[in-house]
Amino acid sequence: MVVFGIVSSILLTLVQNAVGLPVRDLGTFWHVTDFHYDHTYHGAGLSCNADVPNPSALGDYWCDSPWRLVTQAIDSMAAFKPDVDFVLWTGDTVAHISNDNLTVEINTDILTNLTNAIDSAFPNKTVFASFGNHDYYPASQYPAVNNVIYNRTADLWAKW
């Protein structure tokens, strides 16, 4: 518990410094994670775990998220509580799709689309974003050295 308390104190200090508000005034934020956007949902449906002959516009139990579900979730957050202090986005944005059907470009396009959607819904808000294990290509194989996805994402997230 002591480690948790120290980590919590450090996190609160980092958030306070980035947002510019005293810790006592940090009251509301959105935490979003695991969008798992399937860019192939209305075509090949590569994330689907079963045959889905008529996928609905807002998703199917056996598949990852179509774009409409992702954007409606973000838009609903902004409609319900737009005046948050910050947004915490903890990754896993890319769908559960085989590495054979993904590329660096596809993954960075997906991260770009979500970055733009969150930024559009929460303009002028600080977003603390991180990767999930599916966001890198190949999935779950993040290197400890600089690379294309790190650089492209750093450029995307620099505004925050």
Side-chain angles (χ1 to χ4, degrees), residues 12-66:
L12 283 173
T13 301
L14 290 172
V15 170
Q16 174 184 356
N17 291 338
V19 177
L21 295 172
V23 172
R24 70 180 182 281
D25 292 336
L26 289 175
T28 58
F29 65 94
W30 282 112
H31 177 200
V32 294
T33 192
D34 293 88
F35 282 112
H36 290 291
Y37 164 52
D38 182 357
H39 65 287
T40 71
Y41 177 81
H42 290 290
L46 296 175
S47 73
C48 298
N49 294 312
D51 183 37
V52 180
N54 296 311
S56 84
L58 290 174
D60 187 273
Y61 175 80
W62 294 108
C63 307
D64 282 339
S65 306

Side-chain angles (χ1 to χ4, degrees), residues 5 7-8 26 29-31 35 48 55 63 75 90 104 107 110 122 139:
V7 170
S8 296
L26 289 175
F29 65 94
W30 282 112
H31 177 200
F35 282 112
C48 298
C63 307
D75 292 344
T90 54
V104 168
N107 286 29
I110 290 169
F122 295 97

